[in-house]
């Protein structure tokens, strides 16, 4: 019993001595950590605006430009990265973590062709019309998708890194009736053909490709197929595909393939091409945002 009490008292004295030694060190450590965080935040806040911008641009480029299995230099200066299909930007979205990629629809409505039947109806000479300039220097292997590499100058042309690849609100046409103003709708001059009120399983269009001359860098021209749901308030869902000439987005007057999507009327979601997470690409031949050589652009949008 005496031996047990002696061990207990020794242990108490040891703990007290240990606390006298360690507590000041622990307090000093936390004080140093707090001081270091405060200094770091202060230094970050005091960074010049240009330095903060460069830091934002570098982070955004790292998010967009994924590791490539193969890289192809296009004659027009574009760089095409062949990225593994599972490493594309879409899977940065938290809702798409561990997503299983579906390469073909699991169901075809009665009377509709599946992918193999559609391909069989396209003549061989027409199947080669859908081509892009970078194809002259190579193709991406199976299991990868071609992604146009984003450059620093691309992001710097936008108002901010956060707004890069997103539509400007003044550039969004909003036809609110069956007879919209086709002369000047939100600064647009456009023509629309549309159908509504039925049950749709998809859409397909054959679109002539032109090379219109753009006079101002903030102007653009496009031709597209546009599948909409909801209204032009806050609940609009949109899937868009076609060609566009947009010096503001691409830095030149080339005619380029593009896609766009939004789930909240262009407020906080959606972007062009693969410039944000959400749109899953499975085709290894066509790069969104790349220059087209062909005279036809075929877009098919499953719903």
């Amino acid at each position: 019993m005496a031996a047990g009490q002696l061990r207990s008292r020794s242990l108490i004295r040891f703990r007290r001595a240990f606390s006298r030694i360690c507590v000041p060190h622990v307090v000093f450590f936390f004080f140093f950590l707090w001081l270091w965080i405060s200094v770091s935040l202060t230094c970050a806040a005091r960074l010049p605006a240009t330095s903060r911008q460069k830091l934002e641009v570098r982070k955004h480029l790292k998010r967009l430009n994924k590791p490539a299995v193969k890289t192809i230099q296009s004659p027009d200066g574009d760089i095409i990265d062949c990225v593994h299909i599972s490493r594309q930007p879409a899977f940065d979205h938290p809702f798409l973590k561990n997503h299983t990629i579906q390469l073909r629809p699991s169901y075809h409505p009665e009377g509709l062709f599946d992918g193999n039947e559609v391909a069989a109806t396209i003549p061989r000479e027409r199947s080669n019309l859908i081509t892009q300039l970078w194809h002259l220097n190579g193709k991406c292997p199976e299991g990868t998708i071609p992604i146009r590499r984003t450059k620093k100058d691309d992001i710097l042309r936008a108002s901010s890194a956060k707004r890069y690849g997103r539509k400007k609100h003044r550039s969004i046409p909003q036809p609110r009736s069956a007879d919209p103003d086709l002369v000047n709708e939100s600064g647009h001059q456009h023509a629309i053909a549309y159908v509504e009120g039925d049950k749709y399983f998809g859409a397909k269009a054959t679109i002539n490709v032109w090379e219109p001359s753009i006079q101002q860098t903030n102007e653009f021209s496009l031709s597209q197929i546009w599948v909409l749901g909801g209204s032009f308030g806050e609940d609009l869902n949109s899937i868009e595909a076609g060609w566009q000439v947009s010096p503001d987005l691409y830095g030149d007057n080339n005619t380029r393939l593009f896609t766009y999507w939004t789930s909240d009327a262009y407020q906080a979601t959606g972007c062009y091409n693969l410039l944000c997470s959400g749109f899953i690409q499975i085709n290894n031949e066509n790069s969104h945002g790349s220059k087209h050589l062909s005279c036809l652009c075929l877009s098919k949008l499953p719903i």
Side-chain angles (χ1 to χ4, degrees):
M1 187 68 177
Q5 291 178 347
L6 180 61
R7 285 195 298 271
S8 178
R9 291 173 181 173
S10 300
L11 182 59
I12 291 173
R13 286 196 296 269
F14 173 78
R15 287 176 176 173
R16 288 175 178 173
F18 181 77
S19 65
R20 287 195 296 268
I21 296 172
C22 293
V23 170
H25 287 77
V26 172
V27 172
F28 174 75
F29 171 75
F30 280 112
F31 173 76
F32 175 78
L33 181 62
W34 173 83
L35 182 63
W36 178 78
I37 293 174
S38 300
V39 171
S40 299
L41 293 176
T42 303
C43 291
R46 291 179 178 176
L47 279 175
T50 54
S51 298
R52 287 200 301 271
Q53 184 188 45
K54 289 179 180 179
L55 181 61
E56 290 177 1
V57 169
R58 283 199 299 269
K59 288 181 178 179
H60 208 62
L61 287 173
K62 187 176 181 180
R63 282 195 297 268
L64 292 177
N65 295 327
K66 303 299 183 180
V69 174
K70 178 181 178 181
T71 296
I72 301 171
Q73 181 75 48
S74 177
D76 64 350
D78 281 354
I79 298 175
I80 305 300
D81 290 323
C82 302
V83 177
H84 193 278
I85 192 171
S86 64
R87 299 291 301 275
Q88 60 182 294
F91 299 113
D92 291 340
H93 197 288
F95 289 166
L96 293 177
K97 296 296 183 183
N98 302 317
H99 175 77
T100 300
I101 301 175
Q102 186 174 353
L103 299 180
R104 293 183 180 275
S106 57
Y107 167 76
H108 290 278
E110 185 177 353
L112 292 185
F113 293 133
D114 63 19
N116 292 330
E117 291 173 318
V118 171
T121 63
I122 301 176
R124 183 177 300 274
E125 61 271 15
R126 284 190 59 192
S127 65
N128 293 326
L129 290 176
I130 308 174
T131 185
Q132 296 181 318
L133 190 60
W134 63 274
H135 290 164
L136 298 175
N137 290 338
K139 297 288 185 72
C140 283
E142 293 290 334
T144 68
I145 62 167
I147 301 179
R148 177 181 180 267
R149 185 182 298 181
T150 301
K151 301 176 182 179
K152 179 178 68 174
D153 289 342
D154 293 331
I155 299 179
L156 291 177
R157 282 192 301 272
S159 58
S160 68
K162 185 178 180 180
R163 293 299 307 169
Y164 171 63
R166 301 182 185 274
K167 286 190 177 183
K168 300 175 182 177
H169 290 294
R170 61 178 173 79
S171 70
I172 303 168
Q174 298 186 9
R176 299 178 184 276
S177 70
D179 298 305
D181 177 8
L182 301 183
V183 177
N184 192 351
E185 178 77 43
S186 300
H188 280 63
Q189 294 179 345
H190 54 251
I192 299 174
Y194 64 93
V195 62
E196 60 182 351
D198 205 341
K199 187 176 182 180
Y200 303 104
F201 297 95
K204 182 172 67 173
T206 301
I207 305 173
N208 286 337
V209 177
W210 304 95
E211 292 186 353
S213 176
I214 305 299
Q215 298 177 345
Q216 303 293 331
T217 57
N218 61 348
E219 293 180 342
F220 67 93
S221 182
L222 62 80
S223 183
Q224 67 175 40
I225 180 173
W226 201 11
V227 180
L228 303 177
S231 60
F232 280 92
E234 296 180 353
D235 65 339
L236 181 76
N237 282 265
S238 173
I239 308 173
E240 306 163 37
W243 62 259
Q244 66 179 168
V245 177
S246 177
D248 193 39
L249 183 60
Y250 304 107
D252 56 33
N253 286 326
N254 289 330
T255 301
R256 297 173 178 271
L257 171 71
F258 86 94
T259 57
Y260 201 96
W261 68 273
T262 181
S263 61
D264 62 356
Y266 306 99
Q267 299 300 312
T269 65
C271 63
Y272 283 108
N273 308 326
L274 303 182
L275 299 178
C276 65
S277 57
F279 186 96
I280 301 175
Q281 180 173 340
I282 60 173
N283 183 282
N284 72 324
E285 295 181 358
N286 292 305
S287 168
H288 298 201
S290 290
K291 176 178 171 60
H292 260 270
L293 288 176
S294 62
C295 62
L296 291 176
C297 171
L298 302 182
S299 302
K300 189 173 183 180
L301 303 178
I303 301 174

